[in-house]
Amino acid sequence: MKFNLDNLVRENIKKMTAYSSARHEYKGEASIFLDANENSFGSPLSVNYNRYPDPLQWELKNKLSSIKGVPSENIFLGNGSDEAIDLLFRIFCSPGKDNVIIFPPTYGMYEVCAETNDVLVKKVPLLENFQLNLEAIEEAIDANTKLIFVCSPNNPTGNSIDRTDIEVLLNNFDGLVVIDEAYINFAKQKTFIPELTEYPNLVILQTLSKAWGLAGLRLGMAFAGQPIINYFNKVKYPYNINTATQQLAIEALGNILSINNWTKTTAEQKDWLSEEIGKLKFTQFVYPSDANFILVKMDKAKKYTNTS
Ligand SMILES: *Cc1c(COP(=O)(O)O)cnc(C)c1O
């Protein structure tokens, strides 16, 4: 079998007509809008939010495009990465029929979204060195496997997944390989974004919640080929990114130098902290981290973490 996006998408999603909003249909500049029943007096705030936001967030995407080196057409923006994860299930996985593969221990939202959507989760645990078990993955894949989630750097282990192993998945799996790069800014390993032109089955998730310090704004990014982005846009809420978030994110993206400094400092402090924790007498092992957190194996770990 060869990769074919239309074979992966749920029939109902393929057939449906997307909601077309007033802001969607009107293109151009106007000083008076009467087509969306908004309040023409303004807002009871010092900043006006009386108008609906740009449904496709072009100004923000253009800014991200130049920072990330990817065309705006290859970007989807969500209410956190979590929205992108949920939409992947809703676009590609038929409830009660399809399945996805995850590699525990890993980020909890993949399984939560799967359960919300009544989609089976196949778990292929990471090896002892927290790398992929390629043989077991091959065995787990069946005709109804739609998505494979690779979290790299992985939460909670902190390591990056071997690039060549991810490439094996990309080259051999006919569903989508979703690489969650929430911690990529801290990693020595490079992003897979340049590989988008190579792999039509690649989806990359990033977020402004970690290195960018904007967890409260809720802005997640998905990068993928245009056919996949088109499906995201078809299924998402028409105005999923509010005006305040769009404006504040645009402003924040102008401060990339501060972010680069913070990221560098975080990496230095992480190295220092890893070394110091390693000296504690109840520390068994400090795992190498490519993220902004550290996994530590300790004697009687439950005793130190039990908050009840
Ligand atoms: C924190 C985190 C995210 C971020 O999710 P948002 O919804 O964008 O805040 C995504 N993936 C992983 C693995 C994370 O740890």
Side-chain angles (χ1 to χ4, degrees):
M1 211 173 79
K2 243 194 108 27
F3 178 78
N4 180 335
L5 190 66
D6 280 337
N7 290 345
L8 288 181
V9 177
R10 289 167 64 189
E11 279 307 313
N12 57 311
I13 302 294
K14 249 187 283 186
K15 287 198 199 114
M16 68 176 264
T17 309
Y19 176 74
S20 186
S21 66
R23 283 297 167 272
H24 220 129
E25 286 167 9
Y26 182 79
K27 294 222 159 49
E29 295 294 321
S31 49
I32 299 173
F33 288 104
L34 298 172
D35 58 350
N37 307 335
E38 296 148 330
N39 190 325
S40 57
F41 288 103
S43 314
L45 292 168
S46 54
V47 183
N48 275 336
Y49 292 110
N50 57 324
R51 299 300 181 186
Y52 280 100
D54 175 1
L56 291 173
Q57 314 100 20
W58 285 117
E59 191 184 348
L60 175 52
K61 282 180 184 170
N62 291 341
K63 194 118 198 179
L64 281 167
S65 166
S66 60
I67 291 175
K68 300 288 177 184
V70 57
S72 303
E73 291 74 20
N74 294 101
I75 305 175
F76 164 79
L77 299 179
N79 190 329
S81 320
D82 295 340
E83 181 182 2
I85 294 168
D86 188 53
L87 287 183
L88 285 166
F89 281 96
R90 291 165 60 196
I91 296 164
F92 295 103
C93 300
S94 291
K97 177 175 168 238
D98 291 328
N99 66 73
V100 304
I101 297 178
I102 67 170
F103 309 125
T106 192
Y107 187 48
M109 271 310 279
Y110 315 135
E111 191 168 7
V112 170
C113 284
E115 282 173 358
T116 311
N117 289 287
D118 191 20
V119 170
L120 177 72
V121 177
K122 294 193 177 190
K123 295 180 186 175
V124 180
L126 293 170
L127 298 167
E128 214 160 308
N129 61 358
F130 298 137
Q131 292 297 329
L132 301 183
N133 184 342
L134 288 177
E135 279 168 33
I137 296 168
E138 188 179 6
E139 241 163 71
I141 293 171
D142 65 30
N144 292 320
T145 306
K146 295 296 187 72
L147 312 171
I148 294 181
F149 286 93
V150 184
C151 190
S152 181
N154 186 41
N155 176 359
T157 57
N159 63 301
S160 290
I161 304 298
D162 280 345
R163 202 175 183 87
T164 46
D165 285 354
I166 300 177
E167 283 165 357
V168 168
L169 297 182
L170 284 164
N171 282 313
N172 293 288
F173 179 53
D174 295 320
L176 298 186
V177 177
V178 183
I179 308 178
D180 188 339
E181 295 185 338
Y183 299 97
I184 194 69
N185 305 64
F186 305 103
K188 292 193 186 70
Q189 178 147 309
K190 289 206 169 57
T191 171
F192 268 80
I193 284 179
E195 261 59 65
L196 279 173
T197 48
E198 191 98 1
Y199 299 107
N201 59 339
L202 170 60
V203 178
I204 297 157
L205 304 178
Q206 291 187 9
T207 178
L208 296 190
S209 295
K210 306 286 157 63
W212 282 91
L214 295 168
L217 276 195
R218 310 306 302 133
L219 196 86
M221 302 162 261
F223 306 101
Q226 218 171 329
I228 296 175
I229 298 295
N230 289 344
Y231 277 114
F232 272 113
N233 290 336
K234 190 175 184 184
V235 173
K236 77 180 185 74
Y237 290 162
Y239 303 110
N240 61 327
I241 308 296
N242 67 65
T243 302
T245 294
Q246 292 190 41
Q247 289 173 344
L248 291 168
I250 288 165
E251 188 186 331
L253 291 173
N255 287 326
I256 192 161
L257 286 181
S258 324
I259 296 310
N260 288 343
N261 280 333
W262 283 354
T263 305
K264 208 167 139 253
T265 306
T266 304
E268 288 163 5
Q269 298 282 313
K270 179 184 67 183
D271 290 344
W272 175 84
L273 187 61
S274 297
E275 209 176 305
E276 294 300 315
I277 290 181
K279 293 177 188 163
L280 299 175
K281 62 175 184 296
F282 46 85
T283 296
Q284 290 177 17
F285 191 68
V286 181
Y287 291 86
S289 165
D290 231 7
N292 64 346
F293 57 86
I294 309 163
L295 178 68
V296 184
K297 189 168 191 171
M298 290 178 161
D299 299 336
K300 304 191 192 121
K302 288 250 159 55
K303 183 176 147 187
Y304 298 112
T305 56
N306 192 348
T307 50
S308 63

